[in-house]
Amino acid sequence: MKGGVDAIVLASARFMIPAIALFALALLVRGAAGGGVGALAGLAFALLIAVHALVYGARAARTALPPAAARLLFAAGIVCVFTADLTARSAQVAEAGLFLICATGAALVLSVLIARAPTLRDGE
């Protein structure tokens, strides 16, 4: 946990992180396949990663989802999207691929931005 995090923020994050995860997964499972719901669910999951990184710190976020695992899942999402037409359930596979691409891509970007934020300075 980051130093100086308020108890109310910590308690609300402990409540909201599982709720956001359930929302993203419910959106992915119950959404109409072929409508881009995988991308929306991936963005909702990216919100979970952002809240986790802001409350617990960038190091904890990288521990929860290591960059090597995120890159592997990102590649799996690309494979799912491009091979979706070869499967019987092409729309569902494509939505799962979009979910993986959006969630892990946002995790990688947030990991870099939040880890580098203390070193950024205004133009001197």
Side-chain angles (χ1 to χ4, degrees):
M1 179 174 71
K2 280 178 29 178
V5 174
D6 192 14
I8 295 173
V9 173
L10 184 62
S12 63
R14 285 186 182 165
F15 172 72
M16 291 304 294
I17 287 174
I20 295 170
L22 285 174
F23 170 71
L25 294 177
L27 187 62
L28 181 65
V29 171
R30 298 295 299 167
V37 73
L40 293 175
L43 291 175
F45 202 80
L47 175 66
L48 175 146
I49 295 167
V51 168
H52 186 273
L54 289 173
V55 172
Y56 297 106
R59 180 174 292 155
R62 282 192 307 272
T63 303
L65 181 63
R71 288 185 200 110
L72 184 65
L73 290 171
F74 189 84
I78 291 174
V79 168
C80 285
V81 168
F82 285 118
T83 61
D85 290 335
L86 304 175
T87 63
R89 297 192 169 271
S90 62
Q92 288 87 358
V93 173
E95 294 296 341
L98 283 175
F99 171 76
L100 287 173
I101 289 170
C102 288
T104 57
L108 290 169
V109 169
L110 285 171
S111 174
V112 169
L113 289 179
I114 291 175
R116 302 273 195 263
T119 61
L120 298 177
R121 295 184 183 156
D122 292 336
E124 291 184 24

